[in-house]
């Protein structure tokens, strides 16, 4: 009787809300991420759904809960509770997001990981369902036979210099002839209970004899990789092979969240000063001036302590990677000071088939880059394409099938533009050669977007008078750009071979018939 009453009330509310249909024209609701994981060890996780704009009326969302192996009240609980495997989420007028909480229930049973699928099954008439309508959540089993006894004897693997958190033979497989190590189970590189304060144990410095590291499907590695020679770090499955950092915001700034240090001088409770943050991300070299390639493939990097993939002279070869920061939804809707930049690398770096959704610069075009089949979400902090925070030598980049779009929700004021040179003095001179499906950037889907000065958000912001950028459209290449403003700052931004010789910036520009689709996921 109670279940039937719930369904009747739900149907009634959804029907009644049709009176407010015009109050929220084309407001999309969708999950922030499509896959995530949590431990079964009595963990709580907030699942957030973003709205593409502020709702002007009260609305409702119904989320269906499906699983073949996880059981409510035995493996997990939900708040609000679900009835008939459905969660009713009221959306108050003025909201930009709505959330529910899942809490896992610990047990001592050795079992396989379990999976839940959340799906936005219906919304009231004032909303529409977006593309990210499903979220898969993995509940990771934390029980295994070995953990009740002493760690295994790993002395035969001393030359692998394994991190302290790898203690059992069933956690990895080593193929010495190929130099290939596969991580078979979710684990932490650190063996400390307070991982945020384990400064160095959080990282595995890979010996040069390891040529390839594979993260198996459905495996989350909490930690980071430091390289000493050319190496491939790849996942078996982009969505479920994961490198995780921390849910703590402003990790480098320490518990007080304030900058106590200057470059080269760590002070106060800061864990890293500005000039060493590059070493404390998900993947980085050990030596600043090294030039060997670093390959990262087919995995997700979530909430790296600082930068996701960073090198200065090493070319980075990034393919089929999802870089995401989910920290904003966990607290106050922003993450301005975590330095969660996406990718930086040396000359010859190549980024392909990749989605970047961070709260800082997406790709740092400091050396010659190729960027192809890439989507970058422009959040309120950072530039999707950053040309430099300091003076740089001239650079030439290839841009092909790149899609840049604003975040569905969050602050309307942005710190930087789509293409930015953030240095206030000194020279940068970047050429972006646009090829094939070209460049798509459409900011028209969100109203009121501004730069932090209060001016309308432009395509380009060059702060230094000696900063230059030129966008060159290749023969038969395509470009479609829409933004509230065009160019801002003291520098020079020019177009070449655009739209049959019309090289003037405009609020809307379209050259060619093909539209860049980006990463495609």
């Amino acid at each position: 009787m109670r279940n039937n009453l719930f369904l009747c009330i739900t149907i009634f509310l959804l029907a009644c809300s049709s009176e407010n249909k015009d109050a929220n024209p084309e407001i999309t609701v969708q999950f922030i991420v499509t896959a995530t994981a949590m431990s079964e060890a009595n963990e709580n996780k907030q699942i957030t759904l973003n709205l593409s704009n502020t709702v002007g009326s009260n609305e409702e969302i119904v989320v269906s809960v499906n699983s073949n192996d996880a059981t409510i009240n035995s493996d997990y609980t939900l708040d609000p509770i679900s009835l008939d495997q459905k969660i009713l989420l009221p959306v108050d007028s003025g909201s930009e997001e709505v959330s529910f909480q899942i809490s896992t229930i610990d047990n001592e049973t050795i079992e396989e990981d379990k999976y839940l699928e959340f799906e936005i099954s219906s919304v009231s008439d004032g909303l529409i369902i977006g593309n990210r309508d499903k979220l898969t959540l993995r509940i990771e089993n934390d029980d295994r036979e070995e953990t009740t006894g002493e760690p295994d004897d790993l002395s035969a693997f001393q030359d692998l210099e394994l991190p302290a958190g790898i203690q059992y033979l069933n956690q990895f497989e080593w193929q010495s002839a190929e130099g290939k190590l596969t991580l078979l189970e979710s684990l932490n590189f650190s063996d400390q209970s307070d991982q945020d304060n384990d400064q160095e144990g959080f990282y595995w410095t890979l010996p040069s004899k390891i040529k390839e590291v594979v993260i198996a499907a459905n495996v989350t590695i909490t930690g980071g990789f430091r390289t000493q020679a050319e190496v491939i770090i790849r996942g078996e499955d982009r969505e479920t092979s994961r490198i995780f950092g921390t849910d703590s915001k402003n990790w480098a700034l320490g518990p007080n969240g304030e900058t106590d240090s200057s470059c080269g001088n760590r002070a106060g409770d800061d864990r890293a000063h500005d000039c060493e943050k590059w070493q404390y991300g998900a993947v980085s070299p050990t030596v600043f001036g090294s030039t060997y390639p670093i390959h990262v493939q087919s995995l997700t990097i979530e909430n790296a302590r600082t930068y996701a993939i960073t090198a200065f002279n090493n070319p980075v070869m990034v393919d089929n990677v999802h870089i995401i920061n989910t920290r904003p939804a966990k607290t106050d809707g922003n993450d301005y000071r975590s330095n969660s930049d996406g990718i930086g690398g040396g000359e010859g770096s190549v980024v392909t088939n990749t989605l970047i959704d961070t709260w800082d610069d997406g790709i740092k075009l400091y050396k010659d880059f190729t960027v192809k089949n890439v989507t970058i979400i422009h959040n309120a902090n950072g530039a999707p394409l950053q040309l430099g925070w300091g003076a740089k030598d001239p650079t030439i980049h290839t841009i092909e099938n790149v899609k840049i779009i604003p975040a569905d929700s969050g602050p309307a004021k942005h710190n930087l533009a789509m293409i930015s040179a953030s240095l206030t003095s000194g020279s940068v001179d970047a050429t972006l050669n646009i090829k094939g499906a070209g460049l798509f950037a459409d900011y028209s889907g969100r109203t009121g977007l501004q730069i932090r000065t209060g001016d309308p958000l432009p395509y380009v912001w060059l702060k230094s008078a000696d900063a230059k950028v030129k966008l060159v459209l290749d023969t038969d290449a395509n470009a479609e750009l829409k933004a509230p403003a065009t160019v801002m700052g003291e520098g020079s931004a020019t177009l070449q071979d655009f739209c049959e010789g019309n090289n003037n910036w405009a609020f809307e520009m379209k050259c060619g018939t093909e539209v860049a689709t980006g990463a495609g996921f």
Side-chain angles (χ1 to χ4, degrees):
M1 181 68 180
R2 181 186 178 191
N3 292 351
N4 291 335
L5 177 60
F6 170 82
L7 290 176
C8 290
I9 292 172
T10 301
I11 294 168
F12 174 76
L13 289 171
L14 292 177
C16 289
S17 63
S18 63
E19 296 176 3
N20 298 317
K21 182 175 181 179
D22 295 336
N24 302 309
E26 297 186 353
I27 294 182
T28 301
V29 57
Q30 57 188 348
F31 291 106
I32 291 180
V33 296
T34 57
T36 190
M38 59 192 299
S39 168
E40 72 169 2
N42 298 319
E43 184 180 345
N44 301 316
K45 196 176 193 74
Q46 181 173 291
I47 306 296
T48 299
L49 294 79
N50 269 349
L51 303 168
S52 60
N53 214 327
T54 302
V55 295
S57 60
N58 295 332
E59 303 291 345
E60 290 85 32
I61 301 168
V62 176
V63 176
S64 298
V65 186
N66 303 300
S67 179
N68 292 325
D69 48 20
T71 304
I72 193 165
N73 296 327
S74 295
D75 297 304
Y76 67 95
T77 60
L78 294 168
D79 184 15
I81 63 173
S82 69
L83 295 174
D84 285 349
Q85 285 73 53
K86 296 182 185 296
I87 307 170
L88 176 62
L89 298 175
V91 184
D92 294 334
S93 176
S95 299
E96 289 187 346
E97 65 180 27
V98 63
S99 63
F100 60 92
Q101 181 169 288
I102 178 170
S103 302
T104 53
I105 300 173
D106 200 5
N107 60 45
E108 297 181 0
T109 303
I110 299 171
E111 55 192 353
E112 297 295 322
D113 294 345
K114 297 183 178 181
Y115 292 84
L116 286 163
E117 182 183 78
F118 299 100
E119 180 178 4
I120 304 172
S121 55
S122 61
V123 295
S124 52
D125 287 345
L127 305 172
I128 57 175
I129 300 173
N131 293 329
R132 294 195 298 272
D133 60 335
K134 296 179 182 179
L135 182 148
T136 300
L137 183 141
R138 184 173 79 257
I139 301 176
E140 298 172 343
N141 177 58
D142 64 349
D143 301 302
R144 57 177 180 266
E145 294 177 1
E146 291 85 355
T147 58
T148 62
E150 292 297 317
D152 292 336
D153 181 3
L154 301 181
S155 58
F157 303 98
Q158 284 184 347
D159 55 350
L160 298 181
E161 303 172 28
L162 297 169
I166 297 180
Q167 300 180 353
Y168 301 94
L169 289 167
N170 67 342
Q171 292 177 315
F172 68 97
E173 178 184 66
W174 170 238
Q175 297 169 267
S176 58
E178 302 175 24
K180 176 180 174 181
L181 187 140
T182 303
L183 295 165
L184 301 171
E185 291 190 353
S186 296
L187 55 86
N188 304 330
F189 283 166
S190 170
D191 64 350
Q192 302 299 305
S193 58
D194 184 359
Q195 294 191 53
D196 275 351
N197 284 322
D198 191 358
Q199 192 86 2
E200 302 300 327
F202 191 81
Y203 296 93
W204 183 9
T205 299
L206 299 171
S208 57
K209 72 179 302 176
I210 297 180
K211 307 300 183 185
E212 181 177 12
V213 175
V214 179
I215 301 174
N218 302 315
V219 166
T220 296
I221 300 301
T222 300
F225 295 89
R226 291 174 175 165
T227 67
Q228 301 182 88
E230 182 173 5
V231 66
I232 298 170
I233 301 171
R234 70 173 178 88
E236 288 184 344
D237 180 83
R238 186 195 69 236
E239 289 191 358
T240 66
S241 302
R242 306 171 75 82
I243 302 173
F244 185 81
T246 177
D247 280 335
S248 299
K249 295 169 63 173
N250 315 322
W251 175 87
L253 302 182
N256 72 4
E258 300 295 333
T259 302
D260 302 316
S261 304
S262 58
C263 186
N265 178 32
R266 194 187 300 171
D269 69 353
D270 286 3
R271 298 183 177 110
H273 60 70
D274 264 352
C275 295
E276 62 181 354
K277 289 176 182 176
W278 64 275
Q279 302 175 73
Y280 291 97
V283 179
S284 66
T286 55
V287 178
F288 179 90
S290 56
T291 57
Y292 56 81
I294 301 171
H295 306 262
V296 184
Q297 305 166 359
S298 302
L299 51 78
T300 291
I301 297 174
E302 181 179 0
N303 293 354
R305 279 179 165 181
T306 56
Y307 314 136
I309 303 168
T310 301
F312 289 89
N313 297 300
N314 307 77
V316 296
M317 308 298 176
V318 180
D319 180 62
N320 194 31
V321 171
H322 187 186
I323 298 173
I324 188 167
N325 178 6
T326 58
R327 281 184 292 253
K330 298 179 183 301
T331 50
D332 56 2
N334 66 71
D335 195 10
Y336 289 101
R337 306 184 70 189
S338 287
N339 298 107
S340 59
D341 302 70
I343 299 170
E347 185 172 351
S349 291
V350 179
V351 183
T352 53
N353 306 308
T354 290
L355 170 61
I356 302 172
D357 187 359
T358 73
W359 265 69
D360 217 310
D361 297 332
I363 300 177
K364 295 180 179 294
L365 299 179
Y366 294 176
K367 303 287 179 69
D368 296 355
F369 259 75
T370 294
V371 184
K372 182 177 180 180
N373 304 337
V374 169
T375 299
I376 305 176
I377 308 299
H378 191 177
N379 290 292
N381 191 48
L385 301 175
Q386 174 63 253
L387 305 182
W389 288 84
K392 308 292 178 188
D393 292 333
T395 55
I396 299 176
H397 311 281
T398 297
I399 305 295
E400 184 174 352
N401 192 27
V402 173
K403 181 178 181 179
I404 299 173
I405 53 176
D408 293 328
S409 63
K413 284 192 175 181
H414 286 54
N415 282 344
L416 294 171
M418 174 182 76
I419 301 171
S420 293
S422 295
L423 72 172
T424 55
S425 63
S427 173
V428 296
D429 188 350
T431 299
L432 277 59
N433 289 321
I434 302 172
K435 298 180 178 295
L439 176 64
F440 174 88
D442 186 356
Y443 290 84
S444 64
R446 284 193 65 189
T447 58
L449 292 177
Q450 299 176 332
I451 209 72
R452 63 185 181 187
T453 60
D455 297 303
L457 181 67
Y459 300 119
V460 181
W461 188 7
L462 308 176
K463 298 182 182 181
S464 170
D466 295 316
K468 299 177 183 177
V469 64
K470 178 169 63 176
L471 279 63
V472 181
L473 197 65
D474 196 25
T475 303
D476 297 326
N478 299 264
E480 183 170 348
L481 308 176
K482 298 178 183 179
T486 56
V487 178
M488 179 176 173
E490 301 296 321
S492 170
T494 58
L495 302 173
Q496 181 177 316
D497 300 329
F498 257 67
C499 301
E500 300 179 352
N502 183 8
N503 295 316
N504 297 314
W505 290 96
F507 300 141
E508 294 189 18
M509 296 182 286
K510 183 173 176 58
C511 314
T513 58
E514 190 174 354
V515 177
T517 56
F521 65 90

